[in-house]
Amino acid sequence: MSVNSILLTTLGLIILIIFLWYTVRLYNYLIGSKNAINYSLSSLDALLKKRHDLIPNLVKTVKRYMHHEASLLRQITELRTMAATEDISIHDRMVLDSEMARLTKNIVLYAENYPTLYASDNFLQLQASLNEVEEQISASRRALSASITDYNNAIQMFPTNIMAYLMGYKEFEWYSIPEDERQSPDVERLF
Amino acid sequence: MPNIEDFRAFYNEELLPLLDELEHMRRSILIKNIKTFFFFLGVGITAWIILSIWIKLTHRYYENYILVYYAALVIPMIAYIYKRKKPSSFFWRYNHEIIGGIVRFIEPSLYYKPESYIPFSSYRHSSLFDDNVDAYTGSDYIYGRVGHTNIWFSQIHAEKEEESYSTDDDGNTTIDTYWVTIFKGIFFVADFNKDFDCTVILRPRRRNIIELRRDDEIILDYPEFMKYFSVYTDDIVEARYVLSTSLMKRIVELRKNAKRDIYISFVPPNIYVAIPCNPLFYATYCRSIVDYKKMELYFYYLSFTIGIVEELGLNRRIWGKKALSSTRNR
Protein backbone atom coordinates (compact mmCIF):
# COMPACT_ATOMS: atom_id res chain seq x y z
CA MET A 1 0.00 0.00 0.00
CA SER A 2 1.46 3.36 -0.98
CA VAL A 3 2.04 6.17 1.50
CA ASN A 4 -0.58 8.33 -0.24
CA SER A 5 -3.28 5.70 0.07
CA ILE A 6 -2.43 5.15 3.76
CA LEU A 7 -2.67 8.90 4.35
CA LEU A 8 -5.94 9.12 2.46
CA THR A 9 -7.40 6.16 4.34
CA THR A 10 -6.34 7.65 7.68
CA LEU A 11 -7.79 11.03 6.73
CA GLY A 12 -11.00 9.35 5.64
CA LEU A 13 -11.24 7.47 8.95
CA ILE A 14 -10.69 10.67 10.92
CA ILE A 15 -13.39 12.48 8.95
CA LEU A 16 -15.75 9.55 9.47
CA ILE A 17 -15.09 9.48 13.23
CA ILE A 18 -15.65 13.25 13.47
CA PHE A 19 -18.87 12.93 11.45
CA LEU A 20 -20.16 10.08 13.65
CA TRP A 21 -19.23 11.95 16.81
CA TYR A 22 -21.04 15.07 15.58
CA THR A 23 -24.11 13.07 14.57
CA VAL A 24 -24.29 11.47 17.99
CA ARG A 25 -23.97 14.93 19.58
CA LEU A 26 -26.83 16.29 17.46
CA TYR A 27 -28.96 13.27 18.34
CA ASN A 28 -28.23 13.60 22.04
CA TYR A 29 -28.84 17.34 21.91
CA LEU A 30 -32.32 16.86 20.47
CA ILE A 31 -33.15 14.14 22.99
CA GLY A 32 -31.87 16.40 25.79
CA SER A 33 -33.94 19.35 24.52
CA LYS A 34 -37.11 17.27 24.42
CA ASN A 35 -36.42 15.86 27.88
CA ALA A 36 -35.92 19.38 29.19
CA ILE A 37 -39.43 20.28 27.99
CA ASN A 38 -40.90 17.17 29.63
CA TYR A 39 -39.07 17.91 32.85
CA SER A 40 -40.26 21.53 32.89
CA LEU A 41 -43.82 20.46 32.15
CA SER A 42 -43.89 17.88 34.93
CA SER A 43 -42.32 20.41 37.35
CA LEU A 44 -44.95 22.95 36.42
CA ASP A 45 -47.71 20.38 36.87
CA ALA A 46 -46.40 19.42 40.31
CA LEU A 47 -46.09 23.05 41.38
CA LEU A 48 -49.59 23.91 40.21
CA LYS A 49 -50.90 20.99 42.29
CA LYS A 50 -48.83 22.28 45.21
CA ARG A 51 -50.53 25.68 44.90
CA HIS A 52 -53.93 24.07 44.67
CA ASP A 53 -53.23 22.13 47.86
CA LEU A 54 -52.73 25.42 49.70
CA ILE A 55 -56.22 26.62 48.83
CA PRO A 56 -58.19 24.60 51.46
CA ASN A 57 -55.88 25.91 54.21
CA LEU A 58 -56.27 29.46 52.91
CA VAL A 59 -60.06 29.22 52.84
CA LYS A 60 -60.14 27.67 56.32
CA THR A 61 -57.90 30.46 57.71
CA VAL A 62 -59.82 33.41 56.24
CA LYS A 63 -63.37 31.99 56.50
CA ARG A 64 -63.70 32.90 60.19
CA TYR A 65 -62.97 36.55 59.44
CA MET A 66 -64.13 37.27 55.90
CA HIS A 67 -67.85 36.48 56.32
CA HIS A 68 -68.81 38.96 53.60
CA GLU A 69 -66.57 37.33 51.04
CA ALA A 70 -68.32 33.95 51.11
CA SER A 71 -68.93 33.98 47.32
CA LEU A 72 -65.26 34.61 46.61
CA LEU A 73 -64.28 31.71 48.85
CA ARG A 74 -66.91 29.48 47.26
CA GLN A 75 -65.60 30.30 43.77
CA ILE A 76 -62.05 29.44 44.66
CA THR A 77 -63.10 26.21 46.38
CA GLU A 78 -65.04 25.13 43.29
CA LEU A 79 -62.09 25.87 41.04
CA ARG A 80 -59.84 23.92 43.31
CA THR A 81 -62.16 20.90 43.19
CA MET A 82 -62.11 21.04 39.38
CA ALA A 83 -58.32 21.31 39.32
CA ALA A 84 -57.94 18.34 41.69
CA THR A 85 -59.34 15.98 39.01
CA GLU A 86 -56.68 13.39 38.18
CA ASP A 87 -57.13 13.22 34.39
CA ILE A 88 -57.06 16.94 33.75
CA SER A 89 -54.59 18.06 31.08
CA ILE A 90 -51.70 20.37 31.94
CA HIS A 91 -53.16 23.06 29.72
CA ASP A 92 -56.56 22.96 31.46
CA ARG A 93 -54.79 22.93 34.83
CA MET A 94 -52.93 26.08 33.84
CA VAL A 95 -56.16 27.82 32.79
CA LEU A 96 -57.82 26.92 36.12
CA ASP A 97 -54.70 27.89 37.98
CA SER A 98 -54.53 31.34 36.44
CA GLU A 99 -58.08 32.02 37.61
CA MET A 100 -57.29 30.61 41.07
CA ALA A 101 -54.15 32.72 41.28
CA ARG A 102 -56.17 35.83 40.51
CA LEU A 103 -58.75 34.99 43.19
CA THR A 104 -55.99 34.16 45.70
CA LYS A 105 -54.38 37.54 45.12
CA ASN A 106 -57.76 39.19 45.73
CA ILE A 107 -58.23 37.28 48.99
CA VAL A 108 -54.78 38.35 50.19
CA LEU A 109 -55.49 41.97 49.21
CA TYR A 110 -58.87 41.88 50.93
CA ALA A 111 -57.35 40.35 54.08
CA GLU A 112 -55.58 43.69 54.68
CA ASN A 113 -58.96 44.99 55.89
CA TYR A 114 -58.88 42.47 58.74
CA PRO A 115 -55.83 43.38 60.87
CA THR A 116 -56.23 40.42 63.26
CA LEU A 117 -56.24 37.98 60.37
CA TYR A 118 -53.45 39.77 58.48
CA ALA A 119 -51.10 39.67 61.49
CA SER A 120 -51.86 36.08 62.50
CA ASP A 121 -49.03 33.53 62.29
CA ASN A 122 -51.12 31.15 60.27
CA PHE A 123 -51.90 33.74 57.61
CA LEU A 124 -48.29 34.98 57.47
CA GLN A 125 -47.06 31.45 57.00
CA LEU A 126 -49.65 30.85 54.29
CA GLN A 127 -48.63 34.04 52.55
CA ALA A 128 -44.98 32.94 52.63
CA SER A 129 -45.94 29.54 51.20
CA LEU A 130 -48.03 31.18 48.49
CA ASN A 131 -45.18 33.55 47.62
CA GLU A 132 -42.78 30.65 47.48
CA VAL A 133 -44.94 28.51 45.22
CA GLU A 134 -45.74 31.56 43.04
CA GLU A 135 -42.06 32.15 42.50
CA GLN A 136 -41.47 28.45 41.84
CA ILE A 137 -44.27 28.40 39.26
CA SER A 138 -42.80 31.49 37.61
CA ALA A 139 -39.40 29.74 37.50
CA SER A 140 -40.98 26.64 36.04
CA ARG A 141 -42.70 28.69 33.33
CA ARG A 142 -39.42 30.44 32.50
CA ALA A 143 -37.68 27.06 32.27
CA LEU A 144 -40.47 25.71 30.08
CA SER A 145 -40.33 28.76 27.83
CA ALA A 146 -36.54 28.46 27.48
CA SER A 147 -36.73 24.69 26.83
CA ILE A 148 -39.39 25.14 24.14
CA THR A 149 -37.39 27.92 22.48
CA ASP A 150 -34.25 25.78 22.51
CA TYR A 151 -36.11 22.77 21.10
CA ASN A 152 -37.98 24.70 18.40
CA ASN A 153 -34.75 26.45 17.38
CA ALA A 154 -33.10 23.06 17.00
CA ILE A 155 -36.05 21.79 14.91
CA GLN A 156 -35.81 24.78 12.58
CA MET A 157 -32.10 25.58 12.36
CA PHE A 158 -29.43 23.89 10.30
CA PRO A 159 -27.96 21.26 10.81
CA THR A 160 -30.10 20.03 13.71
CA ASN A 161 -33.22 20.30 11.53
CA ILE A 162 -31.89 17.44 9.40
CA MET A 163 -31.48 15.19 12.41
CA ALA A 164 -34.89 16.34 13.76
CA TYR A 165 -36.53 15.41 10.45
CA LEU A 166 -34.90 11.96 10.52
CA MET A 167 -36.07 11.45 14.12
CA GLY A 168 -39.61 12.61 13.27
CA TYR A 169 -39.52 15.54 15.71
CA LYS A 170 -41.96 18.41 15.17
CA GLU A 171 -42.31 21.90 16.62
CA PHE A 172 -43.64 22.06 20.17
CA GLU A 173 -46.85 23.95 20.87
CA TRP A 174 -46.27 27.06 22.97
CA TYR A 175 -48.21 27.44 26.26
CA SER A 176 -48.85 31.14 26.75
CA ILE A 177 -50.02 32.71 29.99
CA PRO A 178 -53.78 33.38 29.85
CA GLU A 179 -54.59 37.07 29.38
CA ASP A 180 -56.50 37.30 32.68
CA GLU A 181 -53.43 36.66 34.78
CA ARG A 182 -51.54 39.52 33.14
CA GLN A 183 -54.06 42.09 34.37
CA SER A 184 -54.04 43.60 37.88
CA PRO A 185 -56.59 42.00 40.19
CA ASP A 186 -60.01 43.63 39.84
CA VAL A 187 -61.60 43.44 43.27
CA GLU A 188 -64.60 45.54 42.21
CA ARG A 189 -65.62 42.99 39.56
CA LEU A 190 -65.87 40.29 42.24
CA PHE A 191 -67.90 42.24 44.78
CA MET B 1 -25.44 51.16 56.78
CA PRO B 2 -23.35 54.25 57.68
CA ASN B 3 -22.14 56.49 54.87
CA ILE B 4 -18.78 58.19 54.37
CA GLU B 5 -19.83 61.28 56.36
CA ASP B 6 -20.74 59.07 59.32
CA PHE B 7 -17.40 57.35 58.99
CA ARG B 8 -15.54 60.66 58.94
CA ALA B 9 -17.20 61.63 62.21
CA PHE B 10 -16.47 58.17 63.66
CA TYR B 11 -12.84 58.50 62.59
CA ASN B 12 -12.40 61.86 64.27
CA GLU B 13 -14.25 60.96 67.47
CA GLU B 14 -13.29 57.33 68.07
CA LEU B 15 -10.55 56.10 65.77
CA LEU B 16 -8.14 59.01 65.84
CA PRO B 17 -7.52 58.96 69.63
CA LEU B 18 -6.90 55.19 69.39
CA LEU B 19 -4.61 55.62 66.41
CA ASP B 20 -2.66 58.33 68.25
CA GLU B 21 -2.23 56.03 71.24
CA LEU B 22 -1.10 53.13 69.05
CA GLU B 23 1.16 55.44 67.08
CA HIS B 24 2.88 56.40 70.32
CA MET B 25 3.27 52.70 71.13
CA ARG B 26 4.60 52.00 67.64
CA ARG B 27 7.19 54.76 67.83
CA SER B 28 8.45 53.65 71.23
CA ILE B 29 8.81 50.04 69.97
CA LEU B 30 10.56 51.25 66.81
CA ILE B 31 12.98 53.53 68.67
CA LYS B 32 13.82 50.83 71.21
CA ASN B 33 14.46 48.31 68.43
CA ILE B 34 16.63 50.76 66.49
CA LYS B 35 18.69 51.39 69.61
CA THR B 36 18.98 47.63 70.26
CA PHE B 37 20.00 47.07 66.66
CA PHE B 38 22.76 49.67 66.74
CA PHE B 39 23.95 48.39 70.12
CA PHE B 40 24.45 44.87 68.80
CA LEU B 41 25.83 46.18 65.53
CA GLY B 42 28.32 48.17 67.61
CA VAL B 43 29.21 45.04 69.57
CA GLY B 44 29.82 43.17 66.33
CA ILE B 45 31.93 45.92 64.76
CA THR B 46 33.94 46.30 67.99
CA ALA B 47 34.58 42.56 68.09
CA TRP B 48 35.65 42.71 64.45
CA ILE B 49 38.09 45.60 65.09
CA ILE B 50 39.55 43.90 68.16
CA LEU B 51 40.02 40.67 66.21
CA SER B 52 41.70 42.51 63.31
CA ILE B 53 44.12 44.33 65.65
CA TRP B 54 44.96 41.07 67.46
CA ILE B 55 45.66 39.26 64.19
CA LYS B 56 47.90 42.12 62.99
CA LEU B 57 49.81 42.34 66.26
CA THR B 58 50.33 38.58 66.49
CA HIS B 59 51.33 38.35 62.81
CA ARG B 60 48.65 35.75 62.02
CA TYR B 61 46.76 35.18 58.73
CA TYR B 62 43.30 36.74 58.27
CA GLU B 63 42.19 33.80 56.12
CA ASN B 64 42.39 31.40 59.12
CA TYR B 65 39.86 33.46 61.03
CA ILE B 66 37.11 33.95 58.36
CA LEU B 67 34.63 31.97 60.44
CA VAL B 68 35.41 34.06 63.52
CA TYR B 69 34.75 37.25 61.46
CA TYR B 70 31.38 35.88 60.34
CA ALA B 71 30.54 34.87 63.91
CA ALA B 72 31.47 38.35 65.12
CA LEU B 73 28.73 39.79 62.93
CA VAL B 74 26.14 37.02 62.90
CA ILE B 75 26.01 36.30 66.64
CA PRO B 76 25.17 39.91 67.59
CA MET B 77 22.45 39.97 64.89
CA ILE B 78 20.93 36.73 66.25
CA ALA B 79 21.09 38.26 69.71
CA TYR B 80 19.31 41.34 68.35
CA ILE B 81 16.47 39.18 66.91
CA TYR B 82 15.95 37.56 70.32
CA LYS B 83 16.34 40.73 72.36
CA ARG B 84 14.30 43.14 70.26
CA LYS B 85 10.86 44.16 71.48
CA LYS B 86 8.24 42.10 69.62
CA PRO B 87 5.50 44.27 68.15
CA SER B 88 2.85 41.54 68.64
CA SER B 89 0.91 43.53 71.23
CA PHE B 90 0.89 46.50 68.85
CA PHE B 91 -0.48 44.37 66.01
CA TRP B 92 -3.02 42.72 68.31
CA ARG B 93 -4.39 46.08 69.36
CA TYR B 94 -4.33 47.43 65.79
CA ASN B 95 -6.34 44.47 64.51
CA HIS B 96 -8.84 44.23 67.36
CA GLU B 97 -9.33 47.91 68.17
CA ILE B 98 -8.89 49.64 64.81
CA ILE B 99 -10.10 47.12 62.24
CA GLY B 100 -12.48 45.47 64.71
CA GLY B 101 -13.76 48.93 65.59
CA ILE B 102 -14.51 49.74 61.95
CA VAL B 103 -16.31 46.39 61.55
CA ARG B 104 -18.50 47.05 64.61
CA PHE B 105 -19.13 50.62 63.45
CA ILE B 106 -20.50 49.36 60.12
CA GLU B 107 -22.52 46.53 61.71
CA PRO B 108 -22.52 46.16 65.52
CA SER B 109 -23.65 42.52 65.39
CA LEU B 110 -20.47 41.36 63.61
CA TYR B 111 -17.35 39.85 65.12
CA TYR B 112 -13.79 40.06 63.86
CA LYS B 113 -11.03 37.45 64.29
CA PRO B 114 -7.87 38.55 62.48
CA GLU B 115 -6.08 35.18 62.56
CA SER B 116 -9.04 33.02 61.53
CA TYR B 117 -10.50 32.44 58.07
CA ILE B 118 -13.23 30.60 56.20
CA PRO B 119 -12.71 26.84 56.71
CA PHE B 120 -11.64 24.72 53.78
CA SER B 121 -14.89 22.75 54.04
CA SER B 122 -16.85 25.89 53.09
CA TYR B 123 -14.48 26.61 50.21
CA ARG B 124 -14.96 23.06 48.93
CA HIS B 125 -18.72 23.09 49.50
CA SER B 126 -19.06 26.18 47.30
CA SER B 127 -17.98 24.17 44.20
CA LEU B 128 -16.57 27.41 42.80
CA PHE B 129 -12.94 26.42 42.42
CA ASP B 130 -10.66 23.45 42.07
CA ASP B 131 -10.58 21.71 45.44
CA ASN B 132 -7.32 19.96 44.63
CA VAL B 133 -5.54 22.39 46.92
CA ASP B 134 -2.06 21.98 48.40
CA ALA B 135 -1.97 25.12 50.52
CA TYR B 136 -4.92 26.97 52.04
CA THR B 137 -4.50 30.02 54.27
CA GLY B 138 -6.34 33.19 55.09
CA SER B 139 -7.01 35.94 57.59
CA ASP B 140 -9.47 38.58 58.74
CA TYR B 141 -12.47 36.43 59.54
CA ILE B 142 -15.68 38.39 60.06
CA TYR B 143 -18.95 36.76 61.03
CA GLY B 144 -22.33 37.49 62.56
CA ARG B 145 -25.76 38.54 61.42
CA VAL B 146 -26.91 41.39 59.24
CA GLY B 147 -30.67 41.77 59.66
CA HIS B 148 -32.12 38.28 59.17
CA THR B 149 -29.07 36.91 57.40
CA ASN B 150 -26.08 35.10 58.87
CA ILE B 151 -22.86 35.96 57.09
CA TRP B 152 -19.23 35.01 57.35
CA PHE B 153 -16.32 36.04 55.19
CA SER B 154 -12.55 36.38 55.15
CA GLN B 155 -9.53 36.70 52.93
CA ILE B 156 -8.39 33.33 51.65
CA HIS B 157 -5.55 32.12 49.49
CA ALA B 158 -5.79 28.67 47.90
CA GLU B 159 -2.82 27.35 45.93
CA LYS B 160 -1.68 24.18 44.32
CA GLU B 161 1.81 22.92 43.66
CA GLU B 162 2.75 22.08 40.11
CA GLU B 163 5.79 20.53 38.58
CA SER B 164 7.62 21.30 35.42
CA TYR B 165 10.21 19.03 33.87
CA SER B 166 13.26 20.19 32.01
CA THR B 167 16.00 18.13 30.45
CA ASP B 168 19.50 19.50 30.00
CA ASP B 169 21.99 18.66 27.21
CA ASP B 170 23.34 15.71 29.17
CA GLY B 171 19.87 14.15 29.38
CA ASN B 172 19.41 14.89 33.08
CA THR B 173 15.85 15.72 34.00
CA THR B 174 15.20 18.39 36.59
CA ILE B 175 11.87 18.74 38.31
CA ASP B 176 10.96 22.28 39.28
CA THR B 177 8.03 22.85 41.57
CA TYR B 178 6.13 26.10 41.66
CA TRP B 179 2.95 27.41 43.22
CA VAL B 180 -0.13 28.34 41.26
CA THR B 181 -2.84 30.46 42.86
CA ILE B 182 -6.29 28.96 42.47
CA PHE B 183 -8.02 31.79 44.26
CA LYS B 184 -6.91 34.77 46.34
CA GLY B 185 -9.37 37.31 47.65
CA ILE B 186 -12.56 37.80 49.63
CA PHE B 187 -14.64 34.68 50.19
CA PHE B 188 -18.13 35.56 51.38
CA VAL B 189 -20.81 33.15 52.61
CA ALA B 190 -24.39 33.91 53.64
CA ASP B 191 -27.46 31.84 54.26
CA PHE B 192 -29.71 32.28 51.25
CA ASN B 193 -33.25 33.55 51.70
CA LYS B 194 -34.98 30.71 49.82
CA ASP B 195 -35.15 26.95 50.35
CA PHE B 196 -33.67 25.24 47.33
CA ASP B 197 -32.26 21.87 46.38
CA CYS B 198 -29.92 22.35 43.46
CA THR B 199 -26.48 23.75 42.72
CA VAL B 200 -26.11 26.88 40.62
CA ILE B 201 -22.68 28.23 39.71
CA LEU B 202 -22.00 31.58 38.10
CA ARG B 203 -18.59 32.03 36.51
CA PRO B 204 -17.29 35.07 34.65
CA ARG B 205 -18.15 34.68 31.00
CA ARG B 206 -15.14 34.09 28.80
CA ARG B 207 -15.43 35.20 25.21
CA ASN B 208 -14.09 32.40 23.04
CA ILE B 209 -13.86 32.27 19.27
CA ILE B 210 -15.80 29.04 19.32
CA GLU B 211 -18.57 29.05 21.94
CA LEU B 212 -18.89 25.49 23.22
CA ARG B 213 -21.61 24.99 25.78
CA ARG B 214 -21.18 22.45 28.53
CA ASP B 215 -24.09 20.07 29.10
CA ASP B 216 -24.92 21.67 32.44
CA GLU B 217 -24.77 25.23 31.12
CA ILE B 218 -28.02 27.16 30.76
CA ILE B 219 -28.96 30.44 29.13
CA LEU B 220 -31.20 32.71 31.21
CA ASP B 221 -33.72 35.31 30.16
CA TYR B 222 -31.72 38.42 31.13
CA PRO B 223 -29.20 39.42 28.43
CA GLU B 224 -27.11 41.83 30.53
CA PHE B 225 -26.65 39.15 33.17
CA MET B 226 -25.58 36.62 30.52
CA LYS B 227 -22.97 39.11 29.26
CA TYR B 228 -21.16 38.84 32.59
CA PHE B 229 -21.79 35.24 33.65
CA SER B 230 -21.89 31.67 32.44
CA VAL B 231 -24.45 29.70 34.46
CA TYR B 232 -24.14 26.02 35.33
CA THR B 233 -26.70 23.98 37.19
CA ASP B 234 -28.06 20.50 37.78
CA ASP B 235 -31.72 21.59 37.75
CA ILE B 236 -33.01 23.98 35.08
CA VAL B 237 -36.24 24.78 36.96
CA GLU B 238 -34.84 25.33 40.46
CA ALA B 239 -31.99 27.39 39.04
CA ARG B 240 -34.59 29.85 37.75
CA TYR B 241 -36.32 29.81 41.12
CA VAL B 242 -33.02 30.76 42.77
CA LEU B 243 -32.08 33.27 40.05
CA SER B 244 -35.20 35.37 39.78
CA THR B 245 -35.09 38.34 37.40
CA SER B 246 -34.77 40.76 40.33
CA LEU B 247 -31.84 38.81 41.79
CA MET B 248 -30.09 38.72 38.42
CA LYS B 249 -30.43 42.51 38.19
CA ARG B 250 -28.93 42.87 41.66
CA ILE B 251 -26.05 40.55 40.80
CA VAL B 252 -25.28 42.64 37.72
CA GLU B 253 -25.16 45.77 39.92
CA LEU B 254 -22.86 43.99 42.36
CA ARG B 255 -20.57 42.98 39.51
CA LYS B 256 -20.46 46.56 38.22
CA ASN B 257 -19.70 47.94 41.69
CA ALA B 258 -16.92 45.39 42.23
CA LYS B 259 -15.30 46.50 38.94
CA ARG B 260 -13.85 43.03 38.44
CA ASP B 261 -14.94 39.46 37.72
CA ILE B 262 -16.77 37.81 40.58
CA TYR B 263 -17.74 34.19 41.18
CA ILE B 264 -21.04 33.21 42.78
CA SER B 265 -22.53 29.87 43.67
CA PHE B 266 -25.72 28.70 45.32
CA VAL B 267 -25.27 25.45 47.19
CA PRO B 268 -27.94 24.65 49.80
CA PRO B 269 -28.43 26.33 52.12
CA ASN B 270 -25.97 29.14 51.28
CA ILE B 271 -24.83 31.65 48.72
CA TYR B 272 -21.09 31.98 48.11
CA VAL B 273 -19.45 35.04 46.59
CA ALA B 274 -15.74 35.12 45.71
CA ILE B 275 -14.09 38.40 44.73
CA PRO B 276 -10.43 38.23 43.70
CA CYS B 277 -8.28 40.88 45.39
CA ASN B 278 -5.14 41.30 47.49
CA PRO B 279 -5.18 41.34 51.29
CA LEU B 280 -5.94 44.80 52.55
CA PHE B 281 -5.61 44.78 56.34
CA TYR B 282 -2.00 45.11 57.23
CA ALA B 283 0.05 47.42 59.34
CA THR B 284 3.78 47.74 59.51
CA TYR B 285 5.38 49.25 62.56
CA CYS B 286 7.98 50.94 60.42
CA ARG B 287 5.45 53.47 59.08
CA SER B 288 2.95 55.77 60.69
CA ILE B 289 -0.53 54.27 61.14
CA VAL B 290 -2.31 57.61 61.43
CA ASP B 291 -3.56 57.62 57.87
CA TYR B 292 -7.16 58.64 57.13
CA LYS B 293 -7.00 57.46 53.50
CA LYS B 294 -6.07 53.97 54.61
CA MET B 295 -8.89 53.86 57.17
CA GLU B 296 -11.30 55.10 54.50
CA LEU B 297 -10.17 52.27 52.22
CA TYR B 298 -10.84 49.77 55.01
CA PHE B 299 -14.29 51.29 55.44
CA TYR B 300 -15.13 51.02 51.71
CA TYR B 301 -13.85 47.46 51.51
CA LEU B 302 -15.85 46.34 54.57
CA SER B 303 -18.97 48.30 53.60
CA PHE B 304 -18.92 46.77 50.15
CA THR B 305 -18.54 43.22 51.46
CA ILE B 306 -21.06 43.51 54.30
CA GLY B 307 -23.34 45.39 51.92
CA ILE B 308 -23.62 42.30 49.70
CA VAL B 309 -26.53 41.30 51.96
CA GLU B 310 -28.53 44.43 51.05
CA GLU B 311 -27.22 44.54 47.51
CA LEU B 312 -28.61 41.05 46.81
CA GLY B 313 -31.74 41.53 48.95
CA LEU B 314 -30.89 38.59 51.19
CA ASN B 315 -32.89 40.03 54.10
CA ARG B 316 -36.10 39.79 52.11
CA ARG B 317 -37.70 36.74 53.72
CA ILE B 318 -41.16 36.54 52.17
CA TRP B 319 -40.91 32.94 51.04
CA GLY B 320 -41.01 29.71 53.02
CA LYS B 321 -37.55 30.13 54.57
CA LYS B 322 -37.59 32.42 57.56
CA ALA B 323 -34.76 34.21 59.36
CA LEU B 324 -32.65 31.86 61.45
CA SER B 325 -32.97 32.36 65.19
CA SER B 326 -29.37 31.38 66.01
CA THR B 327 -25.94 31.60 64.44
CA ARG B 328 -24.98 28.54 62.44
CA ASN B 329 -22.14 26.25 63.49
CA ARG B 330 -19.16 26.93 61.23
Side-chain angles (χ1 to χ4, degrees), chain B residues 251-265:
Chain B
I251 290 174
V252 166
E253 281 312 304
L254 183 71
R255 165 60 181 82
K256 285 178 179 171
N257 290 338
K259 295 187 176 64
R260 65 195 67 201
D261 284 339
I262 60 177
Y263 301 75
I264 301 178
S265 70

Side-chain angles (χ1 to χ4, degrees), chain A residues 25 36 39-40 43 127-128 131-132 135-136 139-140 142-143 146-147 150, chain B residues 194-195 213 221 235-237 240-241 243-245 248 318-322:
Chain A
R25 272 196 71 92
Y39 177 66
S40 305
S43 277
Q127 236 188 329
N131 286 337
E132 187 175 63
E135 192 115 344
Q136 286 170 332
S140 194
R142 284 165 58 206
S147 309
D150 251 355
Chain B
K194 290 178 182 172
D195 276 319
R213 267 172 66 182
D221 41 357
D235 190 320
I236 59 172
V237 173
R240 285 170 171 90
Y241 169 61
L243 285 170
S244 61
T245 312
M248 285 195 282
I318 62 167
W319 301 279
K321 187 177 184 182
K322 291 299 171 198

Side-chain angles (χ1 to χ4, degrees), chain A:
Chain A
M1 227 177 165
S2 68
V3 173
N4 277 344
S5 53
I6 291 170
L7 278 171
L8 275 170
T9 312
T10 311
L11 187 63
L13 271 171
I14 291 171
I15 292 171
L16 180 66
I17 289 168
I18 293 173
F19 175 75
L20 283 172
W21 169 81
Y22 191 64
T23 308
V24 166
R25 272 196 71 92
L26 285 181
Y27 177 83
N28 287 345
Y29 179 71
L30 282 165
I31 297 281
S33 300
K34 194 152 195 224
N35 286 343
I37 295 177
N38 292 335
Y39 177 66
S40 305
L41 274 174
S42 62
S43 277
L44 182 58
D45 197 39
L47 289 166
L48 291 174
K49 281 183 195 157
K50 185 177 168 185
R51 174 145 75 180
H52 303 163
D53 290 342
L54 290 173
I55 301 295
N57 202 2
L58 175 69
V59 169
K60 191 172 142 193
T61 304
V62 307
K63 207 161 63 171
R64 285 191 297 137
Y65 299 86
M66 294 166 70
H67 305 291
H68 302 296
E69 281 68 74
S71 67
L72 169 62
L73 299 179
R74 201 173 38 250
Q75 275 180 52
I76 201 168
T77 307
E78 279 167 11
L79 284 170
R80 197 258 164 186
T81 309
M82 284 164 66
T85 319
E86 278 302 318
D87 55 358
I88 192 170
S89 74
I90 175 75
H91 189 253
D92 288 341
R93 195 187 299 285
M94 283 170 69
V95 169
L96 285 170
D97 178 76
S98 74
E99 187 59 22
M100 265 195 282
R102 201 173 53 77
L103 293 175
T104 307
K105 277 180 195 159
N106 285 339
I107 290 173
V108 171
L109 267 173
Y110 227 69
E112 284 179 29
N113 295 330
Y114 302 87
T116 317
L117 164 68
Y118 204 67
S120 71
D121 281 342
N122 217 5
F123 187 77
L124 287 171
Q125 222 166 344
L126 254 173
Q127 236 188 329
S129 300
L130 284 166
N131 286 337
E132 187 175 63
V133 80
E134 180 68 47
E135 192 115 344
Q136 286 170 332
I137 288 171
S138 166
S140 194
R141 284 201 166 113
R142 284 165 58 206
L144 180 62
S145 178
S147 309
I148 291 172
T149 305
D150 251 355
Y151 176 81
N152 285 343
N153 281 346
I155 296 292
Q156 291 162 19
M157 289 161 82
F158 182 82
T160 39
N161 58 347
I162 300 172
M163 182 56 76
Y165 174 74
L166 292 171
M167 290 166 74
Y169 277 6
K170 303 245 183 309
E171 250 185 70
F172 198 89
E173 194 186 307
W174 195 285
Y175 285 106
S176 58
I177 300 165
E179 203 52 50
D180 272 348
E181 199 178 339
R182 293 193 197 146
Q183 293 166 2
S184 314
D186 182 1
V187 182
E188 284 303 312
R189 195 162 70 84
L190 287 170
F191 300 102

